Amino acid sequence: MSCRNSGRLDMSSCQCVCPPGYTGRYCQVRCSGQCLHGKFRKEECSCLCDVGYGGAECGTKIRFPFHTCDVRIDGDCFMVSPEADTYYGAKIKCQEKGAMLAQIRTQKVQDILAFYLSRLETGNRVTDTDFETGNFWIGLTYKTSKASFRWDVGEPSSFTSFAFGQPDNQGFGNCVEMQAATAFNWNDQRCKTRNRYICQFAQEHISLWQQDP
């Protein structure tokens, strides 16, 4: 196991201890420099943007793109990406739109999204040579410091929909995907895997966008 960017390998835990400014399993992810319109999350090593702002450093003013909603559930808007990226790449792509990777907190949301994705797969819209899998990233990762899976906003996951036998940490998977092979139940996967992803615009974000003149 090789730690990048001057990270140090802790032999007892077999984990990289990253220097300031870097995060990720191998210290491969560089932190945002500053959060212009948001708050810095030390654990995530990234910015959590205020409503109406996006970008890695929350410096871009954006308006809500209503036309990009693929699924609306109880006022929240979910957008399924047409392209694939690593977990951290997908997280940045969602934030650039003023969204976040999807946070599935109820069985209802899980069932609706799984049904929608299954229809995409049937229609052959999931298949593409650029994709490593037909799976989709959501905003859940395993935090070794907390010894638990947590949403990107920092909250623990009280609802889960892991497939049978998952999570199994095969391949040191710290990031969570909706897995096509298990009817889009969840699987822990290597964060550098290139998946499509689901962005979420929360209801409180949308209502504030609607008030914006």
Side-chain angles (χ1 to χ4, degrees), residues 57-95:
E57 297 182 348
C58 306
T60 306
K61 178 70 174 175
I62 51 183
R63 296 183 63 82
F64 179 71
F66 288 96
H67 63 282
T68 64
C69 290
D70 291 308
V71 183
R72 293 289 290 267
I73 308 174
D74 295 334
D76 286 359
C77 163
F78 295 87
M79 184 205 76
V80 178
S81 76
E83 75 280 344
D85 211 325
T86 64
Y87 179 86
Y88 289 105
K91 181 179 175 180
I92 291 172
K93 294 281 181 61
C94 287
Q95 185 157 302

Side-chain angles (χ1 to χ4, degrees), residues 92-122:
I92 291 172
K93 294 281 181 61
C94 287
Q95 185 157 302
E96 286 174 345
K97 296 177 175 64
M100 56 189 171
L101 279 172
Q103 306 198 15
I104 302 174
R105 299 175 182 270
T106 66
Q107 189 66 55
K108 175 183 178 180
V109 175
Q110 168 66 24
D111 290 346
I112 293 174
L113 287 179
F115 176 74
Y116 180 80
L117 296 179
S118 69
R119 294 287 297 273
L120 284 182
E121 190 176 49
T122 302

